[in-house]
Amino acid sequence: MQVEIKTFTGAKILTETLKNLGVDTIFGYPGGIVLKIYDELFAQNDIKHILNRHEQATIHAAEGYSRAFNGKKAGVVLVTSGPGATNLVTGLANAYLDGYPLVVLTGQVSKELIGKDAFQEVNIVNIARSCTKKTYQVTAVENLEEVLIDAFKTALSGKKGPVLVDLAKNIFTEETEFKGLKLSLEPPKSSGMINEIEKILSMSQHPVIVAGGGVVHSGASAELLEFAQKNSIPVVSTMMGLGTFPPEHPLNFGMIGLFGSFSANQIIRESDCILSLGARFNDRISSCFMNGELERNLIQVDINKEELSRVLNARLNVHSDIKEILISLKSFNKNFSSWSREAQILKSRNRTYQKISDKLHSFEVIDAIYEFTCDKNLTVTTEVGQHQMWCAKGYKFSHGGQFITSGGSGTMGFGLPAAIGASIAQNGASVICISGDGSFQMNSQELATIIDYNLPIKIMLLNNGYLGMVRQLQQKQCDGRYSETKISNPDFMQLAQSYGIKSVRVKSADEIQAALEQCFAVNEPFLIEFCIEPFEVV
């Protein structure tokens, strides 16, 4: 029987391959180079295109989309050449550091013009190389399908992350055979080092588990809870690991690091063994611990081989999927309950926030938002700054992936488009975006995108009139010389209303409840502006 050979243009091969890969959403911004792709998207109904208002917002939205699936699906981005491509670099770095899969498609000038400084030509492949897992350039249509398959495989394998595929304009109209290739992902890596892990844990008296973002990626929260409970081992988390362990559980000692809790940091100092599960230990954490406190019988488990011993000298490096490790450790049994009871005393020494004026304070806002929404199981995104840390410390996240924030890169302007992506991934569900007045203005044009797609995103804007985190650092490091951190703002209520979004302003604690009731009474976008104490610190 003769097999029919399908011959398609490159533009159609692109869309058909994306369909075969299960892609249902693309975040993009059109331009002249990629019009043939947009023509193919126009002719089909399986892939939905989300038109953002800025290319940086497209890639943050795509990451928010991926993170709503805990990285199990890749976010897909499509932009044109030149500035369209360069506007993505910040988002590439963000996804690369936090380890979320993106497949970023950029248009490029035709093959014969590459390297000749044609209109809107940039060498995006070289520009993006340092902040992607892999970059590709396709100049021949017969290579397109295989490159796309490899791009998705790379993005979704091991420690996940972004890849960039640069597409020369000529391939969109050239024709070749469409093979209908399938994606095959390798199973998670398991380790043969279980005996070594058990031996180190058995010899310890005061172990602690550090839950990092890798626990989210591997979907290992249930296994972590079972292992910690069975052996009564205290658990702390990095910011990216928040939600992976029940927040009210007696074995949860909070977030470690520069803005972590006293109990979490102190339990690290008093431990004699650290089982690290997918934590990177960047300088926000490592700078808090001296004299080898993090390297004391450190067992470092990570799916990314390059991450092992990048910062610390571990006693045991385990290159493996975290879920597989915890499953393999099910037979381990040692009762550390006396140590965990002893550690409970540390929680009483955690800092409690105090008001420094009669103005509204952040902890009043975050506490009220949590109490109002804790039974709604909503995804929470943030921008970057003081509000991000107040949220991380004050909102009790119930599951891994509920908290979507920019960790390694600290990208202002991330939260609002990420909320768009998360809401779309959840079929238009409500998402909370906690923002500061500085960060919000980085991508406030995305209010138009929110209205276009009728997304019920609830924006909680903490307005203190400053670039608050920088001002806080100036207070401590520059003797209060606040250079270029007091900022002018628009009337945020009028700004929201100009896009057709309802809003309300809150200036005191007794106004919060009514504002939240008004906000969540409608299944549509809403902005609450909280005017808070300018000199409050994290």
Side-chain angles (χ1 to χ4, degrees), residues 47-348:
I47 301 174
K48 176 171 56 178
H49 181 275
I50 305 300
L51 176 63
N52 292 95
R53 293 301 182 271
H54 193 289
E55 289 91 355
Q56 183 180 340
T58 67
I59 193 165
H60 291 329
E63 184 177 340
Y65 174 92
S66 177
R67 290 174 69 155
F69 292 105
N70 287 343
K72 300 296 188 292
K73 290 183 71 172
V76 180
V77 178
L78 172 62
V79 300
T80 194
S81 63
T86 57
N87 281 341
L88 299 176
V89 174
T90 297
L92 288 171
N94 195 90
Y96 183 70
L97 285 169
D98 287 347
Y100 283 92
L102 301 178
V103 176
V104 176
L105 308 172
T106 58
Q108 184 56 274
V109 299
S110 291
K111 178 181 178 180
E112 70 275 9
L113 294 175
I114 292 175
K116 297 181 179 179
D117 291 338
F119 177 67
Q120 289 194 334
E121 180 198 359
V122 295
N123 189 342
I124 190 62
V125 169
N126 280 351
I127 291 172
R129 191 159 281 145
S130 68
C131 54
T132 54
K133 289 187 71 177
K134 192 172 182 179
T135 58
Y136 309 76
Q137 187 173 76
V138 184
T139 58
V141 68
E142 57 268 22
N143 299 328
L144 176 59
E145 191 176 356
E146 289 183 358
V147 166
L148 290 172
I149 297 294
D150 190 65
F152 274 83
K153 183 176 181 178
T154 301
L156 290 163
S157 299
K159 182 179 179 181
K160 300 169 184 179
V163 299
L164 182 136
V165 184
D166 197 38
L167 304 166
K169 183 181 179 182
N170 56 284
I171 71 168
F172 302 143
T173 53
E174 295 171 355
E175 295 188 358
T176 194
E177 178 187 356
F178 175 63
K179 301 174 184 176
L181 301 175
K182 303 298 182 183
L183 175 64
S184 177
L185 294 176
E186 297 176 2
K189 292 182 181 295
S190 59
S191 170
M193 305 180 77
I194 301 303
N195 290 339
E196 290 91 333
I197 296 173
E198 290 180 342
K199 182 179 179 180
I200 296 171
L201 285 172
S202 295
M203 292 190 301
S204 72
Q205 299 298 318
H206 304 125
V208 61
I209 297 170
V210 178
V215 179
V216 178
H217 291 296
S218 66
S221 293
E223 290 78 10
L224 171 60
L225 176 60
E226 181 182 351
F227 179 73
Q229 280 189 148
K230 178 182 177 182
N231 299 286
S232 296
I233 302 177
V235 177
V236 298
S237 69
T238 65
M239 186 172 71
M240 301 307 291
L242 289 173
T244 56
F245 199 78
E248 303 288 4
H249 197 286
L251 290 173
N252 190 333
F253 286 81
M255 183 175 76
I256 58 173
L258 188 61
F259 295 107
S261 67
F262 172 85
S263 61
N265 287 337
Q266 191 61 24
I267 204 168
I268 290 284
R269 297 186 182 102
E270 296 184 13
S271 70
D272 63 1
C273 175
I274 298 171
L275 175 58
S276 169
L277 303 176
R280 289 198 304 118
F281 294 107
N282 68 13
D283 58 296
R284 286 289 184 98
I285 294 174
S286 61
S287 63
C288 299
F289 302 98
M290 310 301 291
N291 303 319
E293 289 169 330
L294 288 175
E295 297 176 332
R296 194 182 301 134
N297 282 334
L298 172 64
I299 305 167
Q300 194 161 11
V301 183
D302 206 293
I303 194 65
N304 182 12
K305 193 171 186 178
E306 294 179 1
E307 209 68 71
L308 298 169
S309 291
R310 185 200 297 265
V311 177
L312 302 171
N313 294 315
R315 176 171 177 181
L316 185 64
N317 284 317
V318 183
H319 178 215
S320 180
D321 176 75
I322 291 162
K323 188 169 188 172
E324 295 297 313
I325 285 291
L326 290 172
I327 290 171
S328 299
L329 284 170
K330 274 191 173 184
S331 61
F332 179 80
N333 189 6
K334 182 175 179 179
N335 192 330
F336 295 99
S337 57
S338 60
W339 155 237
S340 59
R341 285 194 299 270
E342 179 185 333
Q344 290 293 328
I345 300 170
L346 297 173
K347 288 187 177 181
S348 64

